[in-house]
Amino acid sequence: MPDTNKDYVTMFAGKGGVGKTTCAGATALHYASLGEATLVISTDPTPSLSHIFNVKDKQKPTKVLEGLYLAELGIEEVKEMWDRKFGKEVYEVFSSFVSVNYEEFVDFVASILPGIRDEFMIDYIRELSLERKYQRIVWDTAPLGQTLHLLKTPAMLREHLKPAPRIYSKLKLGKETKKPVLDIIKGWENSIWCSYGLSKVWSKIRHCCHT
Amino acid sequence: MDFLRYGVKFVIVAIPEALAVDQLDSIFDEFDRHGLKAEQLVINNVIKEVADSTFLQAKAEQQRGYIDLLRQKYQEIKMIELPLFPHEIKGIDSLKDIERSLFKFEN
């Protein structure tokens, strides 16, 4: 592991209502007061960071005071970030074998987004920590059950499969297109999607294509 | 995810009540199962001032029981008690109170 400076990112975990945000806020304040540029970030879908710091500014990140920045990333922000990073690319692959327009596709992804949101956030925070734009990152997480599921993909896969029949029914696989499409999916299994735990999703799609 | 295992410091927050303590068991179990280690455990809302209140004394005693249980059970982890404040924690000033308690033994 390249960087084992564990104190760079501090994550507050625990069930709801026990004071995670309070602790995260106070910790972020502590580092900022030591002169360390600190970002305090919340991935809680019911965020209370801006409330606890009395900030109304919707800008992300918001400057709380000198050296302390705050960002609350809700589902819309994550959707936006995901879309910016992967949207078009993934749609290109997807639309080559599913007759679906971009809006439908985005809705479909949004349906599985709750499951991949935490994974995406972990990667986002990892990227932030590599960028070293801040000297400390304090992370106020969602109530624990949701956060650790990212380490196993089955829960997310379940969410994906709910709207899947609607999408799969539109599969436009012909004999000619089948093989190259499956190769594309195989390629996706091994690429970026792996780090988002969606390799299982793609292998499931591949399985459906075979049947 | 390696980043979670090697790049993140985990602090678990709980309150000294039956349900929260039970939930801590499952949290630590999950952590163990994923090869994650929590560095600190913060127990929040700990009653420190009881004055003449028999009510507060009873609650504080109840809490003490759970806190002692946790200290015994999780000896390797650094435990911090955060006092229950009469005011709501909102805004920089009250957050500073929390900061003082959290980082009391540092610096």
Side-chain angles (χ1 to χ4, degrees):
Chain A
M1 261 286 113
D3 189 358
T4 53
N5 181 3
K6 264 198 158 194
D7 281 12
Y8 188 78
V9 178
T10 307
M11 174 171 145
F12 287 88
K15 297 292 180 171
V18 296
K20 279 194 313 295
T21 304
T22 302
C23 290
T27 300
L29 198 60
H30 176 74
Y31 290 136
S33 67
L34 292 178
E36 301 177 15
T38 303
L39 173 69
V40 59
I41 194 167
S42 169
T43 54
D44 192 332
T46 56
S48 43
L49 261 185
S50 52
H51 171 88
I52 211 172
F53 276 109
N54 281 329
V55 291
K56 302 268 191 302
D57 193 352
K58 287 299 169 192
Q59 194 192 28
K60 288 171 213 300
T62 308
K63 185 174 182 175
V64 179
L65 43 84
E66 201 55 51
L68 179 57
Y69 298 85
L70 178 157
E72 281 172 334
L73 298 173
I75 193 72
E76 281 311 312
E77 283 82 19
V78 177
K79 197 169 157 181
E80 227 176 280
M81 283 160 63
W82 187 92
D83 191 39
R84 238 181 295 137
K85 199 166 179 183
F86 299 109
K88 299 288 190 290
E89 261 184 274
V90 178
Y91 175 67
E92 259 182 57
V93 175
F94 213 77
S95 61
S96 66
F97 64 95
V98 179
S99 160
V100 61
N101 63 37
Y102 193 65
E103 286 72 36
E104 271 181 296
F105 170 69
V106 169
D107 284 343
F108 175 57
V109 172
S111 74
I112 62 171
L113 212 51
I116 62 172
R117 178 182 59 206
D118 283 341
E119 278 196 11
F120 186 81
M121 282 320 305
I122 290 204
D123 201 71
Y124 174 67
I125 290 181
R126 187 183 60 89
E127 275 181 13
L128 274 182
S129 71
L130 290 173
E131 274 170 33
R132 294 280 161 165
K133 193 168 162 195
Y134 301 95
Q135 288 170 276
R136 298 275 188 175
I137 297 176
V138 177
W139 182 11
D140 179 22
T141 68
L144 204 71
Q146 299 160 277
T147 307
L148 291 187
H149 268 132
L150 57 87
L151 290 171
K152 304 183 249 186
T153 53
M156 180 215 70
L157 186 62
R158 244 181 286 129
E159 283 308 310
H160 162 76
L161 289 178
K162 276 191 222 150
R166 183 168 43 91
I167 300 290
Y168 292 156
S169 68
K170 297 184 187 180
L171 279 173
K172 54 171 184 180
L173 287 177
K175 268 181 287 195
E176 320 81 50
T177 57
K178 202 168 180 177
K179 193 167 189 271
V181 166
L182 291 178
D183 284 344
I184 295 171
I185 295 175
K186 203 169 163 113
W188 277 109
E189 279 183 301
N190 298 325
S191 70
I192 48 157
W193 285 86
C194 264
S195 67
Y196 290 80
L198 282 173
S199 54
K200 288 206 178 148
V201 172
W202 291 107
S203 65
K204 191 82 187 176
I205 293 175
R206 197 152 55 91
H207 176 78
C208 286
C209 293
H210 278 300
T211 56
Chain B
M1 265 222 163
D2 276 351
F3 172 63
L4 275 191
R5 286 194 184 104
Y6 305 111
V8 177
K9 171 177 162 179
F10 287 96
V11 177
I12 300 183
V13 185
I15 50 176
E17 288 180 9
L19 180 63
V21 169
D22 277 345
Q23 287 171 342
L24 267 183
D25 279 342
S26 61
I27 289 174
F28 279 110
D29 271 345
E30 279 229 64
F31 266 64
D32 280 339
R33 253 184 286 135
H34 294 111
L36 300 175
K37 195 172 180 296
E39 312 232 339
Q40 283 180 24
L41 173 60
V42 175
I43 313 289
N44 200 11
N45 297 349
V46 179
I47 296 167
K48 296 287 189 189
E49 299 270 351
V50 295
D52 300 329
S53 165
T54 47
F55 171 78
L56 285 180
Q57 277 166 17
K59 288 297 287 182
E61 229 177 87
Q62 202 180 64
Q63 287 187 338
R64 195 44 45 194
Y66 289 120
I67 294 169
D68 290 343
L69 180 74
L70 289 174
R71 283 202 184 272
Q72 220 179 23
K73 198 162 187 185
Y74 304 110
Q75 287 178 27
E76 348 63 59
I77 198 172
K78 179 179 176 188
M79 226 178 289
I80 299 170
E81 292 177 29
L82 273 187
L84 180 67
F85 288 92
H87 53 267
E88 194 190 340
I89 307 297
K90 191 172 171 353
I92 305 285
D93 289 339
S94 51
L95 279 172
K96 284 247 163 232
D97 288 335
I98 304 291
E99 184 207 348
R100 264 189 293 274
S101 296
L102 281 180
F103 294 93
K104 205 161 26 177
F105 303 107
E106 296 181 29
N107 307 328

